[in-house]
Amino acid sequence: MTEEAPRHPLPPFTEETARQKVQAAEDAWNSRDYNKVAMAYSEDTEWRNRNVFLKGRGEVREFLKGKWEREKNYKLEKHYFAHTGNKIAVTFQYEYENEEGKTIRAYGNEHWTFDEKGYMKIRNASINDVEIDASRRVIGTDTHIPTGTKNP
């Protein structure tokens, strides 16, 4: 196995570099490219996503592939909340249409822990869904849901 290159910025994070990590994550997730997104996580990453527990980059890749096959017109915003050392906390919200054609807005918090090379080793996500009328979609529009300070 070849050694993976560092994923900058590296810990320990400053507020500026933590915000850069958050923005990079938002951009990657909005691409819905599960291969690209999975590469931000360590080979042995551990995830809790709602009631799903994953171990390893391969499981993350398969999870994301299925997620974006089911969740159409997915759009996400992540917001920096706090950081210390190699940890970052974010709040987020995203909107999508489920397989039944209903529009869903999801709200949540994530706690991230990074290894020394800048790969996310642990991701804990708590998420709540709310069904909304499609006319109430705001993410990716000129309307904004205030949830905190947006990344620069």
Side-chain angles (χ1 to χ4, degrees):
M1 175 183 234
T2 61
E3 188 168 322
E4 293 183 306
R7 291 188 65 89
H8 294 275
L10 303 177
F13 299 112
T14 64
E15 182 175 337
E16 177 183 1
T17 60
R19 287 180 182 277
Q20 289 170 3
K21 277 288 199 198
V22 174
Q23 188 61 59
E26 177 182 301
D27 294 344
W29 279 66
N30 278 324
S31 77
R32 296 182 304 280
D33 180 340
Y34 55 89
N35 287 308
K36 176 183 176 180
V37 174
M39 290 307 297
Y41 301 94
S42 65
E43 268 301 326
D44 61 347
T45 193
E46 295 180 20
W47 271 35
R48 180 181 62 79
N49 191 87
R50 302 174 191 259
N51 63 344
V52 176
F53 295 84
L54 305 172
K55 177 85 170 144
R57 188 183 287 155
E59 287 186 15
V60 168
R61 183 178 291 111
E62 288 306 308
F63 173 85
L64 294 172
K65 181 180 180 197
K67 171 184 177 62
W68 289 319
E69 286 172 353
R70 292 184 307 276
E71 297 177 1
K72 305 299 180 194
N73 297 314
Y74 176 95
K75 187 67 177 167
L76 165 76
E77 289 183 352
K78 289 187 183 281
H79 303 271
Y80 166 85
F81 185 76
H83 77 282
T84 184
N86 68 336
K87 299 177 186 295
I88 300 174
V90 300
T91 62
F92 64 89
Q93 56 202 1
Y94 62 92
E95 296 171 340
Y96 66 95
E97 287 134 32
N98 67 15
E99 293 172 299
E100 292 81 41
K102 296 180 180 177
T103 302
I104 307 297
R105 182 177 298 138
Y107 299 93
N109 302 296
E110 291 177 318
H111 300 135
W112 303 339
T113 302
F114 292 86
D115 67 17
E116 66 283 348
K117 290 189 172 187
Y119 291 86
M120 195 181 301
K121 188 157 180 74
I122 299 171
R123 175 183 176 265
N124 287 313
S126 298
I127 307 167
N128 299 297
D129 293 330
V130 178
E131 186 177 326
I132 62 170
D133 187 86
S135 66
R136 294 190 56 223
R137 283 195 76 149
V138 296
I139 299 175
T141 69
D142 292 335
T143 308
H144 178 72
I145 304 169
T147 60
T149 305
K150 183 67 181 138
N151 310 311

